[in-house]
Amino acid sequence: MSFIPEASVHSCKRVTDKQPHIVLILAEDLGWNDVGWHNPDLKMPILNQLAADGVIFNQSYVQPACTPSRSALFTGYYPFKIKRQHQMLLNLEADGLSLDLKTLPEMLKDVGYLTHLVGKWHLGFCKEEYLPNKRGFDSFYGWLTLGTDLYTKENVLAPGYDFRDNTGVVQESDTYLPFMLAERAVDIVMGHYKEYPLFLEFSMALPGKFLEVPQDYEDLYSDIDDDRTRKFYGKLSAMDNSIGLLVEALKTRGMWDDTLFIFTSDNGAFATESGSNWPLRGNIATLFEGGTRVPTFFYGSMLKKAGYVNNELIHIVDLHKTIIELAGATTESDIDGMDMWKTISKGEPSPRTEFVYNIDDNELSPGAAIRVGDYKLITGHPDLMYPFRLLNRSDDWYNYGDEPISGILLPPTGNEPPPANVTYLFNIIDDPEERNNLADVYPNKVEELRHRLDEYREHLVPPESRIFDPSGDAVNFGGVWSPGWC
Ligand SMILES: *[C@@H]1O[C@H](CO)[C@@H](O)[C@H](O)[C@H]1NC(C)=O
Ligand SMILES: *[C@@H]1O[C@H](CO)[C@@H](O)[C@H](O)[C@H]1NC(C)=O
Ligand SMILES: *[C@@H]1O[C@H](CO)[C@@H](O)[C@H](O)[C@H]1NC(C)=O
């Protein structure tokens, strides 16, 4: 079965016969330590092998949170230029990725790709125009908000169901969500019209935020005493298994040799609840390396040099440009993304020598960070979610089994400590763990990076003021998070 009606298969033909199929695995909240090539205790045979045979990018950066990272991937712009620098979208927020911007899947469709999103959207849903089927995806099978329970598909922050096949609601409360997604990803490949190139974004709910895992995966680690660690490791093995099924399908259809396979994460791990950024500092939604530096690799027969670790810089905006150029499409001319194909495929030096982690000049807790060469400057407040809280100490170092927290997003109590106002200078090459603040040692370096940040700041577009509209509550839509309220 195909998930695109034959009549609507693109009339626009392929621009070249060299367009690869592109499969982008966007793991969710997968931290630095959450992969087998960093943590040998993990059983991840499929991914370990693909990473070993491909090119591992050891300095690969994303935005600190899910909505900003997806915005950067889909547009090629740093989020601070497109109003997406401030936190992630919450359920009742009457906003979405700006409709003025053309998205990556839209551009791929222009050159003949059939485009599918399996998994998380999280770029706005308050009106139909924001939904994935209107933003370039021929098919969508997943959820619209920041996350759901892996069995019930209930939103994690507030009551309300959230799972759809295209625009229609699919009621399925028993099956493990990652297995549903894997099955759909396989079916998409099996039903693909092979005369067209495929773009599949598999945004896979794993490892994600919940310690829910089928028993047989947990049992793979029965020698581990700590409950959370055992369950979390089980989830990573379930992720590996799902990816294995997808790879098998691509092989069965004879598509694998023409597939560029990309594996990355949307942000760092949700430390202690599940996942580990160890030995990197900080958590998801912080400007520290733990929130932003993620495991990434590329695999495919089109890579001329492979089987090694590449230490060149790459940022998620570059994935946008690289994918689009490789597909034979054209990007907007003023984007931040760079074409990294020669670095990825041949190991040439990266054109990227600097990047902006974020600039969020909100009044309550402004925070910004930049990397130039070996140095990184953080100014203001490193925690993006303030005054919400994800961890008691967002600037600490956490590993599996450390102090648990009590929820996904702790709402402000009014007793939060005042936002920090830091000036941190780190040499990331010598000190990837951000343990030695050099701001007092190299004041000129601080000024140089601050000046560079200010140059970027001239292009900042402030976010819309956040409107939380209670009319969007799922209770007004038959208990399902739905569009139609903005
Ligand atoms: C990857 O980066 C880490 C942290 O900066 C570094 O310690 C390690 O040597 C790098 N790995 C390789 C293979 O270059
Ligand atoms: C962390 O925060 C939670 C919730 O506010 C609190 O119950 C707990 O005692 C805190 N733990 C530490 C170590 O401060
Ligand atoms: C943070 O400190 C710097 C000086 O180090 C100061 O210029 C700036 O105004 C402070 N920002 C806030 C929000 O307090």
Side-chain angles (χ1 to χ4, degrees):
M1 153 184 193
S2 168
F3 295 94
I4 304 177
E6 187 138 26
S8 71
V9 166
H10 310 147
S11 51
C12 177
K13 290 287 181 255
R14 320 179 55 148
V15 291
T16 78
D17 58 4
K18 296 219 172 63
Q19 291 167 302
H21 303 301
I22 298 168
V23 172
L24 170 62
I25 309 283
L26 198 57
E28 188 171 352
D29 305 342
L30 176 104
W32 182 259
N33 206 19
D34 298 339
V35 289
W37 51 101
H38 292 161
N39 173 359
D41 294 341
L42 290 168
K43 294 173 184 161
M44 272 190 179
I46 309 285
L47 284 165
N48 281 348
Q49 194 63 51
L50 290 174
D53 294 343
V55 184
I56 293 173
F57 272 74
N58 199 29
Q59 292 200 68
S60 171
Y61 287 87
V62 295
Q63 295 297 130
C66 25
T67 304
S69 273
R70 285 172 171 76
S71 304
L73 169 68
F74 282 158
T75 68
Y77 292 102
Y78 290 131
F80 74 85
K81 294 187 179 177
I82 55 170
K83 310 188 216 180
R84 293 263 63 97
Q85 62 270 49
H86 188 56
Q87 306 191 348
M88 56 189 92
L89 282 168
L90 299 180
N91 297 359
L92 293 176
E93 205 164 341
D95 201 1
L97 179 66
S98 168
L99 297 172
D100 302 335
L101 297 165
K102 192 163 177 176
T103 67
L104 173 100
E106 285 175 311
M107 294 172 187
L108 294 177
K109 264 169 81 108
D110 284 349
V111 292
Y113 275 76
L114 303 184
T115 58
H116 303 268
L117 171 58
V118 175
K120 170 162 157 169
W121 174 241
H122 205 190
L123 286 172
F125 68 92
C126 64
K127 56 182 167 188
E128 303 226 330
E129 290 86 337
Y130 283 138
L131 301 189
N133 293 91
K134 301 263 170 144
R135 303 304 308 263
F137 284 106
D138 290 315
S139 87
F140 166 61
Y141 186 70
W143 60 102
L144 300 171
T145 61
L146 92 169
T148 73
D149 181 277
L150 297 182
Y151 287 102
T152 65
K153 326 296 181 310
E154 288 282 317
N155 176 265
V156 304
L157 296 177
Y161 186 84
D162 186 13
F163 197 81
R164 281 166 199 265
D165 191 348
N166 293 312
T167 51
V169 179
V170 182
Q171 291 287 351
E172 170 50 276
S173 300
D174 298 325
T175 311
Y176 191 52
L177 171 62
F179 293 167
M180 290 167 65
L181 301 179
E183 190 180 334
R184 174 56 61 97
V186 166
D187 287 350
I188 284 171
V189 169
M190 297 314 286
H192 180 68
Y193 298 98
K194 285 199 338 188
E195 61 274 34
Y196 293 93
L198 168 74
F199 175 68
L200 170 61
E201 181 189 335
F202 188 18
S203 187
M204 56 185 313
L206 287 174
K209 297 171 182 61
F210 304 96
L211 287 171
E212 294 171 311
V213 64
Q215 192 65 42
D216 43 339
Y217 286 98
E218 186 175 342
D219 289 348
L220 291 173
Y221 300 97
S222 52
D223 54 327
I224 293 180
D225 288 337
D226 181 66
D227 264 13
R228 286 179 298 144
T229 305
R230 191 176 58 248
K231 287 184 165 49
F232 187 74
Y233 280 17
K235 285 205 299 185
L236 292 168
S237 290
M239 172 175 85
D240 192 63
N241 184 67
S242 294
I243 290 171
L245 297 174
L246 173 58
V247 170
E248 275 313 306
L250 288 160
K251 287 181 178 165
T252 303
R253 285 302 312 281
M255 292 163 67
W256 182 241
D257 288 345
D258 300 320
T259 297
L260 176 65
F261 182 94
I262 307 171
F263 178 90
T264 190
S265 175
D266 59 351
N267 43 250
F270 202 98
T272 83
E273 177 67 10
S274 47
S276 165
N277 302 311
W278 186 266
L280 302 182
R281 186 175 187 176
N283 191 29
I284 173 178
T286 71
L287 296 170
F288 293 109
E289 298 294 286
T292 55
R293 183 174 180 177
V294 293
T296 299
F297 73 84
F298 296 79
Y299 176 93
S301 63
M302 57 295 281
L303 304 179
K304 302 280 178 267
K305 183 181 171 198
Y308 73 105
V309 175
N310 185 312
N311 274 301
E312 298 289 312
L313 269 186
I314 185 169
H315 186 274
I316 193 164
V317 289
D318 303 327
L319 272 188
H320 174 93
K321 173 96 171 173
T322 305
I323 288 173
I324 287 181
E325 298 274 328
L326 195 64
T330 320
T331 57
E332 304 289 342
S333 56
D334 62 343
I335 59 170
D336 298 297
M338 295 176 170
D339 184 356
M340 298 288 297
W341 187 240
K342 289 182 178 155
T343 308
I344 295 164
S345 64
K346 297 185 193 161
E348 289 187 10
S350 172
R352 180 168 293 290
T353 55
E354 63 180 46
F355 68 89
V356 178
Y357 290 78
N358 200 29
I359 308 176
D360 182 359
D361 285 346
N362 78 86
E363 274 176 29
L364 181 61
S365 60
I370 189 170
R371 166 91 178 260
V372 178
D374 294 356
Y375 287 91
K376 171 179 182 180
L377 177 75
I378 305 179
T379 64
H381 194 58
D383 182 344
L384 210 68
M385 291 309 289
Y386 185 90
F388 294 94
R389 254 176 337 130
L390 297 168
L391 280 183
N392 294 34
R393 294 167 286 115
S394 59
D395 61 350
D396 218 329
W397 291 260
Y398 290 93
N399 208 343
Y400 307 107
D402 282 344
E403 165 206 335
I405 59 157
S406 52
I408 291 301
L409 191 65
L410 303 177
T413 59
N415 296 324
E416 279 66 42
N421 184 9
V422 305
T423 303
Y424 286 148
L425 180 75
F426 299 113
N427 181 321
I428 294 297
I429 300 302
D430 294 348
D431 177 26
E433 298 172 22
E434 299 173 289
R435 289 182 186 268
N436 303 311
N437 182 9
L438 301 171
D440 291 338
V441 185
Y442 301 119
N444 293 342
K445 204 46 150 177
V446 170
E447 280 323 301
E448 180 193 320
L449 267 63
R450 203 191 286 281
H451 177 72
R452 191 75 189 113
L453 253 183
D454 285 341
E455 287 177 344
Y456 279 106
R457 193 174 259 117
E458 286 170 20
H459 303 279
L460 180 144
V461 181
E464 308 289 341
S465 53
R466 290 180 112 184
I467 300 168
F468 294 102
D469 184 348
S471 68
D473 199 308
V475 78
N476 300 321
F477 296 89
V480 180
W481 291 98
S482 301
W485 46 279
C486 73

